[in-house]
């Protein structure tokens, strides 16, 4: 199950037999160390070191493996053959992942274990193996932030499918960067000139990498081609992360002025206004002027209203908690963003969680608003 294939150049006609053997390999050592360093590591590793981490991750279980049981509804079809309609997460595997696994952090590891089991169920079907590997890669990437295993399974998806690495360039690039090699990320994404994502993910990645000029160039191109509200909002977020408040506000104003070309434009306008207000509050915030207590603010997030509670004690942010929300595909945004605010003791320069930028943005903006309401 965790044994890697011998080579990515293995003849495809041999894959079914190899997968039968290799996906049935079971690592039974309790407490096996994870090959992936912690998310956001700043250590600069060589390409060889990153490759070693990925290879090791492909053949060893996560440290939690033996503590998580294989659990799933007996009605669930593990062969990906149930149709998408009608919606039934107790039968459809993709819908079970969407409705049951993703919105429940307590089930994330359970979901990963399930997908490893699904690999063995479909071991003789290359197409279904590719689909399962893609889901597994997404879980390791979006939910567990296990960058080495995510990279391993994105690569495995490419090997089993008609896709090339370019199809997963942003996901793989982020994995390489988080594992400690920025150059590997840049090599993979440097020739992508168009951001075709719904959330401006390529714009965000270049901003995270510290190349604001490249991020804004891609944003301007996206705004010219389609959905300027998305492009300008991503550009504003990039400027905000870089500490360029005036430039960020200018881009958020462009969101408001952009043509409403699709039904999601109104939401982006609301988010742009909230971000502008939050930026104006950033420079005014002074924790020394905020009395001890708990301050709350409700804001519009991706799926609906979100309430954030901020606890202040001795002029320090003790905690930031999301006490009410309707988000489903928030990935690690809630835990990551609240933790970063407490660590930085600020709402400035908080990088937004990939895949859930709107959720993360809402938490930052609500925290700024809550604190400003408590200032004297």
């Amino acid at each position: 199950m965790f044994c890697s294939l011998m080579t990515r150049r293995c003849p495809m006609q041999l894959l079914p037999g190899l997968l039968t053997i290799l996906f049935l390999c079971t690592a039974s050592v309790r407490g096996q160390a994870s090959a992936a360093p912690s998310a956001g590591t700043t250590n600069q590793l060589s390409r060889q070191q990153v490759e070693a981490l990925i290879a090791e991750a492909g053949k060893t279980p996560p440290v939690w493996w033996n503590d998580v049981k294989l659990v799933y509804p007996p009605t669930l079809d593990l062969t990906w053959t149930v149709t998408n309609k009608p919606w039934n997460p107790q039968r459809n595997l993709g819908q079970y992942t969407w409705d049951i696994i993703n919105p429940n952090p307590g089930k994330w590891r359970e979901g990963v274990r399930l997908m490893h089991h699904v690999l063995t169920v479909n071991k003789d079907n290359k197409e279904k193996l590719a689909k399962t590997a893609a889901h597994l890669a997404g879980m390791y990437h979006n939910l567990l932030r296990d960058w080495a295993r995510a990279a391993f399974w994105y690569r495995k998806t490419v090997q089993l499918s008609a896709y090339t690495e370019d199809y997963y360039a942003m996901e793989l690039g982020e994995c390489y960067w988080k594992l400690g090699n920025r150059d590997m990320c840049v090599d993979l994404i440097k020739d992508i000139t168009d951001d075709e994502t719904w959330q401006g993910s390529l714009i965000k990645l270049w901003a995270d990498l510290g190349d604001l000029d490249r991020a804004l160039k891609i944003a301007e191109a996206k705004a010219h081609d389609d959905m300027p509200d998305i492009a300008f909002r991503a550009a504003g977020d990039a400027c905000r992360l870089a500490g360029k408040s005036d430039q960020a506000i200018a881009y958020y104003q462009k969101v408001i002025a952009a043509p409403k070309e699709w039904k999601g434009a109104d939401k982006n306008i609301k988010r742009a206004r909230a971000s502008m207000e939050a930026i104006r509050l950033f420079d005014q915030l002074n924790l020394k002027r905020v009395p001890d207590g708990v301050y709350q603010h409700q804001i519009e997030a991706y799926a609906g209203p979100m309430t954030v509670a901020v606890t202040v004690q001795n002029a320090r942010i003790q905690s930031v908690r999301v006490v009410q929300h309707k988000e489903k595909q928030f990935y690690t945004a809630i835990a990551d963003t609240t933790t970063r605010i407490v660590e930085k003791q600020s709402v400035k320069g908080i990088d937004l969680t990939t895949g859930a930028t709107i959720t993360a943005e809402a938490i930052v903006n609500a925290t700024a608003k809550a604190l400003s309401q408590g200032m004297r």
Side-chain angles (χ1 to χ4, degrees):
M1 197 175 296
F2 292 96
C3 297
S4 59
L5 297 182
M6 290 183 290
T7 172
R8 296 187 64 208
R9 296 182 180 178
C10 172
M12 294 304 291
Q13 62 267 30
L14 298 181
L15 278 174
L18 283 173
L19 289 167
T20 300
I21 299 171
L22 295 172
F23 284 139
L24 288 173
C25 291
T26 302
S28 60
V29 180
R30 176 178 288 272
Q32 173 70 46
S34 170
S38 59
T41 178
T42 57
N43 296 329
Q44 186 62 230
L45 301 185
S46 68
R47 187 180 297 264
Q48 185 178 10
Q49 288 173 313
V50 169
E51 291 291 353
L53 288 173
I54 295 170
E56 183 67 13
K59 60 185 179 183
T60 57
V63 293
W64 48 263
W65 183 261
N66 289 333
D67 296 322
V68 176
K69 295 180 179 179
L70 177 62
V71 179
Y72 60 91
T75 55
L76 196 62
D77 171 41
L78 304 184
T79 64
W80 301 104
T81 56
V82 173
T83 60
N84 289 332
K85 296 180 180 180
W87 190 272
N88 187 349
Q90 296 302 304
R91 291 200 66 210
N92 184 290
L93 188 54
Q95 294 167 4
Y96 179 77
T97 300
W98 185 267
D99 263 6
I100 308 300
I101 301 299
N102 289 2
N104 296 290
K107 288 185 172 292
W108 288 352
R109 292 175 175 178
E110 193 178 286
V112 167
R113 179 121 203 198
L114 170 60
M115 283 299 157
H116 275 285
H117 177 62
V118 174
L119 287 172
T120 66
V121 172
N122 297 283
K123 62 183 181 294
D124 296 320
N125 187 308
K126 188 174 70 175
E127 182 180 348
K128 292 179 179 180
L129 281 172
K131 188 171 185 176
T132 309
H135 273 70
L136 193 52
M139 287 180 172
Y140 276 126
H141 181 275
N142 297 327
L143 305 182
L144 301 186
R145 297 310 203 215
D146 188 334
W147 308 110
R149 291 186 174 86
F152 177 87
W153 287 104
Y154 279 126
R155 288 176 169 186
K156 198 63 62 185
T157 304
V158 170
Q159 185 180 16
L160 292 166
S161 68
Y163 294 125
T164 65
E165 275 198 349
D166 290 343
Y167 187 82
Y168 293 108
M170 284 178 282
E171 293 86 352
L172 272 169
E174 184 178 22
C175 289
Y176 299 153
W177 174 54
K178 293 291 189 179
L179 285 169
N181 192 303
R182 183 183 185 277
D183 291 342
M184 288 178 70
C185 176
V186 170
D187 286 346
L188 199 55
I189 67 173
K190 64 184 179 182
D191 294 326
I192 305 175
T193 57
D194 298 325
D195 187 329
E196 298 178 351
T197 69
W198 282 88
Q199 297 299 334
S201 299
L202 182 61
I203 299 167
K204 179 189 182 304
L205 183 53
W206 277 113
D208 289 347
L209 290 168
D211 194 334
L212 181 61
D213 290 342
R214 180 79 68 103
L216 296 183
K217 181 178 180 180
I218 293 172
E220 293 288 352
K222 182 176 179 64
H224 182 267
D225 291 339
D226 64 347
M227 297 185 181
D229 55 307
I230 292 176
F232 290 139
R233 185 172 57 79
D237 292 343
C239 292
R240 184 164 73 167
L241 177 64
K244 298 184 178 295
S245 299
D246 291 343
Q247 201 170 354
I249 290 173
Y251 273 114
Y252 290 136
Q253 288 173 334
K254 287 186 177 183
V255 175
I256 297 170
K260 299 179 182 179
E261 296 180 348
W262 67 301
K263 64 181 180 181
D266 286 337
K267 286 189 175 181
N268 280 322
I269 289 172
K270 289 180 180 178
R271 291 169 191 139
R273 286 187 172 131
S275 293
M276 288 170 62
E277 182 182 9
I279 286 175
R280 292 183 176 117
L281 294 173
F282 287 173
D283 292 331
Q284 301 173 17
L285 287 178
N286 183 346
L287 287 174
K288 293 180 180 179
R289 294 173 52 196
V290 181
D292 290 357
V294 179
Y295 303 93
Q296 292 191 6
H297 181 71
Q298 186 178 87
I299 197 168
E300 190 70 17
Y302 182 79
M306 169 186 287
T307 302
V308 174
V310 186
T311 301
V312 176
Q313 186 175 4
N314 297 325
R316 288 186 58 81
I317 301 172
Q318 293 297 313
S319 70
V320 178
R321 295 177 297 116
V322 176
V323 296
Q324 179 270 331
H325 72 89
K326 295 183 179 180
E327 309 296 90
K328 280 201 170 185
Q329 312 305 314
F330 57 84
Y331 304 142
T332 59
I334 291 177
D336 288 354
T337 309
T338 54
T339 299
R340 287 173 190 150
I341 293 172
V342 175
E343 288 175 349
K344 290 178 69 73
Q345 288 294 298
S346 173
V347 287
K348 285 186 175 182
I350 303 296
D351 54 317
L352 306 181
T353 302
T354 304
T357 56
I358 295 172
T359 303
E361 178 186 70
I363 295 169
V364 171
N365 293 346
T367 300
K369 188 69 174 180
L371 289 171
S372 68
Q373 291 171 343
M375 276 204 318
R376 292 180 180 175

